[in-house]
Amino acid sequence: MNIKKSLHNRIKGWLPKTPSVPKQPSAPSFKRTEISNEKPLMDKSFPAESSTNLVNGIMIGGSIAILLIGLSLWSSLNSSYWSQRNFLIFSGLDASDIEHVLINNVGYIAVCAGAVVYSSYLLIFVSINQLNPTIRNLTNKKISFRLANSFLNVGVIAITFSVSETVYYSYPLASTPPPLLSIGFGTTGTILIVVGVLLMAYLYFKFGKSLTKAQGGSANDFAKFYS
Amino acid sequence: MCPACSVSSPLSQSQKTIWALITKGFSVANIAKKLNTTRQYINQTRLAAEAKLATTLLDVAQVNDLQVTKLYPKQAMLLGYHPSLKRKAIITYTTSHGLKVWYWHDHPEEVTDIDFLNQTRQYLLEIAKERGVEIENAAQIHPAKFAHMIFTQLIPELKT
C-alpha cells in the first residue's frame, strides 16, 4: 500500500529548457546608429578609389564621344564650309567623300547620333548615380533628387529628339528653318535640363555636404541628416 | 518582421494584445469594440499573429532537433519528440515571457535550483492566466506537475 502510494505521489512532468534561438539572416534594414563606422555608405563591391576612377573615365570618355558626335553633326550641316578648308575628320577620306557619305545618310546618322547622345548621357549620369555613394544615397533618399533626375532625363530625351528632327528635316535644304516640333522639343528639353541641373546642384550643395561629412563624421550627423 | 520583434517574441504589440485577448476567450466583436477598431482588423491581426507564431514554433522545433508531432497554432503550442533524448517535448509561447521548450522529466525532483523552479512556476502561472486554465493550489504543486496539469488541459493528446 505504501509502495502504491509512493508511486502515485511520484512527481513526473515537464520542465523547461531555454530554447535555442535560430540564427536570423542578416537583416537588410538600415541601422542609422551603426552607419557612422568607416565609410559605411560606400558600395563594398567597389573600392572608393577605383569607383572614382571609373566614374572619371566614363565621364571623360562620354564627353569625348559627345564632342565627336557633335563635330560630325556640325560637319554634316556645314560640309561645304569644311570641304573648302579641306578639313578631314576621318583620316583616309577627303572632304568630298565625307560629304557624300553624310548627305546620303543624314537621317540615319541623326537618329544614331541621338541614340548615342542619350546612351552616353545614361552611361555617365546613371553610372555616377550608382557609383558615387553621395549622389546615389541622395538620389535614393530624397524624392527631390529623383525629381531633378527625371527633369534631366526627360530634358535629354527632348533635346535628342530636337537634334534628330532638325538634322533630318533641315539638312537637304540648309536654309530651311527647323520644324516647329523640333523647336518645341529643343526649347522644352533645354528648360528641363537647366531646371534639372540647377535643382541637382542646389540639392547637392544643400544636402551633399552634410552627407559627405556624415560619412566620415559622427552618427549624430548622419541621423540629423535623415531625421 | 517588426523592429521590436525577435524570435523569442515574434509578435508586434498590436498582435500581442489581440492574440492575448482572443486566447483569454474574448469575442472578436468585443475586442473590436474595446480597441475601437473593426472586426475585420481583429481577424486579420489574429491570423497574422497565428501564422507568425506557427512559423516561429516550427523554427524553434527545428533548431532544437525536435520531430513535430502536432502544432496548435491557436494555443501557440507545439508537441514534439526529441529522438536522441527519447523524450517528448513541448514548445510554448506567452506574450510576456516569450518561447520556452519543455522536456518530459521522469525525476524532476532532481532539479533543485530554486530560482529556476520559481521562474518556471511564474511562467506556468502566466500560461494558465493567458489560456484561462484554473489550477487550484498552484503554489503548492511542483512546477513539473503543475506544467503537466496545464498542458494536459491544453493538449488533448497528452491525456492518453
Side-chain angles (χ1 to χ4, degrees):
Chain A
M1 186 68 186
N2 283 340
I3 294 168
K4 271 188 180 176
K5 195 177 178 183
S6 65
L7 281 174
H8 179 73
N9 287 337
R10 188 195 286 174
I11 303 165
K12 282 188 178 182
W14 302 88
L15 282 178
K17 170 192 165 293
T18 309
S20 304
V21 176
K23 193 181 176 186
Q24 291 188 75
S26 56
S29 61
F30 194 72
K31 290 186 178 176
R32 293 175 182 179
T33 49
E34 293 172 10
I35 213 76
S36 67
N37 297 332
E38 66 179 279
K39 297 181 179 174
L41 293 174
M42 286 291 183
D43 189 338
K44 298 291 180 195
S45 59
F46 285 95
E49 199 171 328
S50 69
S51 70
T52 312
N53 289 339
L54 185 59
V55 171
N56 288 341
I58 291 169
M59 283 182 74
I60 293 165
S63 306
I64 292 170
I66 291 171
L67 193 66
L68 282 173
I69 292 160
L71 275 173
S72 303
L73 284 171
W74 192 24
S75 69
S76 72
L77 284 166
N78 301 281
S79 53
S80 57
Y81 172 81
W82 292 113
S83 64
Q84 283 169 15
R85 280 155 184 78
N86 201 21
F87 181 82
L88 298 179
I89 296 174
F90 306 105
S91 59
L93 292 173
D94 62 19
S96 60
D97 287 337
I98 295 166
E99 188 178 2
H100 181 72
V101 169
L102 291 175
I103 286 170
N104 287 315
N105 298 289
V106 66
Y108 178 71
I109 290 168
V111 172
C112 286
V116 172
V117 168
Y118 187 58
S119 306
S120 307
Y121 162 77
L122 284 181
L123 197 66
I124 295 166
F125 284 90
V126 173
S127 301
I128 291 171
N129 277 355
Q130 289 307 311
L131 296 177
N132 184 308
T134 308
I135 294 179
R136 182 182 65 223
N137 278 286
L138 285 171
T139 312
N140 288 340
K141 296 289 173 191
K142 291 278 172 191
I143 196 162
S144 42
F145 261 89
R146 281 185 230 161
L147 187 70
N149 234 13
S150 305
F151 273 119
L152 285 172
N153 273 314
V154 178
V156 170
I157 293 171
I159 289 279
T160 307
F161 268 118
S162 169
V163 171
S164 305
E165 288 269 315
T166 308
V167 173
Y168 186 79
Y169 286 109
S170 64
Y171 179 74
L173 302 166
S175 58
T176 308
L180 283 174
L181 184 67
S182 173
I183 295 169
F185 271 130
T187 312
T188 313
T190 308
I191 291 169
L192 286 171
I193 286 179
V194 169
V195 171
V197 167
L198 289 176
L199 194 56
M200 190 67 106
Y202 169 73
L203 292 167
Y204 184 80
F205 283 110
K206 188 174 178 189
F207 297 114
K209 279 181 186 174
S210 59
L211 188 64
T212 311
K213 190 181 169 190
Q215 280 176 4
S218 67
N220 287 340
D221 289 333
F222 193 81
K224 197 176 167 187
F225 172 74
Y226 280 111
S227 60
Chain B
M1 192 174 272
C2 68
C5 298
S6 65
V7 174
S8 57
S9 182
L11 301 187
S12 67
Q13 193 51 50
S14 61
Q15 285 171 340
K16 269 186 192 174
T17 309
I18 288 167
W19 187 83
L21 289 169
I22 284 172
T23 316
K24 276 178 187 170
F26 286 96
S27 71
V28 171
N30 274 342
I31 298 168
K33 199 175 171 184
K34 191 174 179 180
L35 299 179
N36 197 23
T37 182
T38 61
R39 282 181 296 171
Q40 189 188 16
Y41 174 76
I42 301 293
N43 275 320
Q44 283 174 351
T45 311
R46 177 178 62 88
L47 287 173
E50 284 178 9
K52 261 190 193 176
L53 286 172
T55 310
T56 309
L57 288 169
L58 289 169
D59 284 347
V60 173
Q62 191 184 15
V63 168
N64 285 277
D65 298 322
L66 296 180
Q67 292 172 349
V68 178
T69 310
K70 196 161 184 183
L71 177 66
Y72 304 87
K74 289 188 178 176
Q75 299 285 7
M77 293 175 90
L78 183 145
L79 178 62
Y81 180 75
H82 198 297
S84 304
L85 299 175
K86 293 180 180 172
R87 285 184 190 189
K88 282 183 180 176
I90 292 172
I91 307 174
T92 57
Y93 169 81
T94 64
T95 50
S96 55
H97 292 76
L99 288 161
K100 216 174 260 297
V101 182
W102 304 76
Y103 288 99
W104 178 257
H105 280 253
D106 284 330
H107 304 287
E109 68 275 6
E110 289 170 3
V111 180
T112 53
D113 186 332
I114 301 296
D115 288 340
F116 172 78
L117 292 173
N118 283 337
Q119 279 176 16
T120 305
R121 192 187 303 281
Q122 286 304 315
Y123 187 93
L124 288 165
L125 287 168
E126 188 61 33
I127 289 186
K129 189 180 163 191
E130 247 182 26
R131 308 314 202 264
V133 177
E134 288 184 6
I135 307 283
E136 287 182 7
N137 299 323
Q140 275 81 51
I141 305 170
H142 189 281
K145 196 170 182 179
F146 185 24
H148 188 53
M149 291 164 85
I150 293 172
F151 295 162
T152 45
Q153 287 200 34
L154 297 172
I155 301 177
E157 278 79 356
L158 290 177
K159 286 176 184 170
T160 54

